[in-house]
Amino acid sequence: MELLAKESGGILIIRATQDRIDAAGAIQFKDRMRDLTQTSAARRVVLDMSNIAFLDSSGLGAVVAVLKALAPDRKLELSGLTPTVQKVFRLTRMDSIFLIHEAMPDGLRHAG
Amino acid sequence: MDASWTKLIVAGNTEAVRRALLHLLQGPPFAGLSPGLRSDAEIVLAEVLNNIVEHAYAASAGNIEIRVRRQVGGLACQIRDHGAPMPGLSLPDGAFQPLGAIADLPEGGFGWFLIRNTVEDLQYRREGGANRLSFLLPYEQSKS
């Protein structure tokens, strides 16, 4: 589970470099996200998921847990959902909960 | 036309399930499917297998047997394990949980909803100390 973080203009950008968030890695993902977000005061956290080809319900639960841990003062936004990940968010209607960017906003690329 | 079964035996842990999914999806009968159907297959199999790891094998260790083959209308899947039976000997209804305030969002319980939303002919029976689950992954996705 490799997550790279970079802060830019008050936004914490975290890029997942592995290709899945699944039952085997969900807890590690959650712990690592907690560590990274706790060492920053940025109110906006953007998770770049463009490398994540697959996410199961455990992975989705972990992403939701991060959102809940940051709320109410801080926000978790998502970027670059691949087709399978998009499908899981759409079916569970979690796409209505998260602010989802199609790609990393200009100027926020190349985290880490 | 019905083809022969592709069979795989997987240890009942999440690491083995991950490796099995990667292996299965790269070979027949999955390799030739459309990206959308492969993605449905991976989602459903991940949920089914990880449920077995988390619940059926919560207190014991064992293997999961997977059989898949092409059939008229879709991919037939049969999954067997020797772990604890489903509570009440029936499958969870997988009802959609309405999403409310962020603090109350569910962090789990999506699995059976995703499975039931995607497959057809879902059947479960407990037989000879084993759980047997079977379902069809339709080639044409009618639900969404």
Side-chain angles (χ1 to χ4, degrees):
Chain A
M1 183 69 49
E2 202 48 53
L3 297 170
L4 301 176
K6 176 181 123 177
E7 205 165 317
S8 169
I11 303 175
L12 179 66
I13 303 145
I14 299 176
R15 183 159 62 94
T17 60
Q18 80 277 13
D19 64 359
R20 47 211 289 137
I21 308 176
D22 60 11
I27 291 173
Q28 202 189 355
F29 168 81
K30 206 159 54 174
D31 290 348
R32 184 96 174 95
M33 283 294 287
R34 190 191 49 216
D35 293 346
L36 288 172
T37 53
Q38 277 177 354
T39 55
S40 158
R43 294 172 72 93
R44 280 177 73 192
V45 178
V46 181
L47 177 63
D48 179 354
M49 300 182 77
S50 54
N51 289 318
I52 305 290
F54 182 74
L55 167 120
D56 63 14
S57 67
S58 302
L60 176 66
V63 175
V64 171
V66 174
L67 171 82
K68 289 166 74 172
L70 290 173
D73 297 328
R74 308 171 70 193
K75 277 173 55 179
L76 177 65
E77 303 170 18
L78 308 176
S79 168
L81 274 56
T82 61
T84 302
V85 175
Q86 220 164 32
K87 186 178 287 183
V88 171
F89 272 84
R90 180 169 50 79
L91 290 174
T92 57
R93 294 179 212 164
M94 283 296 175
D95 59 351
S96 67
I97 300 293
F98 287 85
L99 179 57
I100 299 175
H101 305 278
E102 264 186 49
M104 287 306 288
D106 283 343
L108 297 185
R109 291 165 205 267
H110 310 301
Chain B
M1 178 139 65
D2 292 356
S4 59
W5 293 100
T6 295
K7 299 174 191 173
L8 189 67
I9 296 178
V10 184
N13 66 72
T14 55
E15 292 287 345
V17 165
R18 176 194 280 176
R19 285 194 301 272
L21 288 172
L22 291 170
H23 174 77
L24 264 176
L25 270 290
Q26 280 168 9
F30 296 99
L33 303 175
S34 70
L37 189 50
R38 288 182 77 230
S39 135
D40 287 347
E42 186 164 16
I43 292 169
V44 166
L45 288 172
E47 299 307 331
V48 166
L49 300 178
N50 284 318
N51 272 327
I52 292 171
V53 171
E54 192 182 341
H55 300 291
Y57 286 133
S60 62
N63 290 332
I64 307 170
E65 297 151 42
I66 306 166
R67 295 174 10 125
V68 188
R69 73 170 177 184
R70 294 190 82 117
Q71 234 173 242
V72 175
L75 287 184
C77 303
Q78 300 182 348
I79 318 285
R80 187 165 70 149
D81 69 77
H82 300 271
M86 282 282 173
L89 296 180
S90 63
L91 297 176
D93 65 6
F96 181 76
Q97 313 171 50
L99 306 179
I102 284 181
D104 302 327
L105 288 176
E107 292 174 36
F110 312 109
W112 283 103
F113 171 76
L114 290 170
I115 295 166
R116 287 187 179 277
N117 197 78
T118 309
V119 309
E120 293 173 3
D121 300 335
L122 181 63
Q123 291 179 42
Y124 166 77
R125 64 180 201 278
R126 179 78 181 176
E127 196 178 84
N131 296 308
R132 290 167 177 272
L133 188 73
S134 63
F135 52 87
L136 187 77
L137 272 163
Y139 296 132
E140 300 287 336
Q141 203 47 256
S142 56
K143 298 170 275 188
S144 179

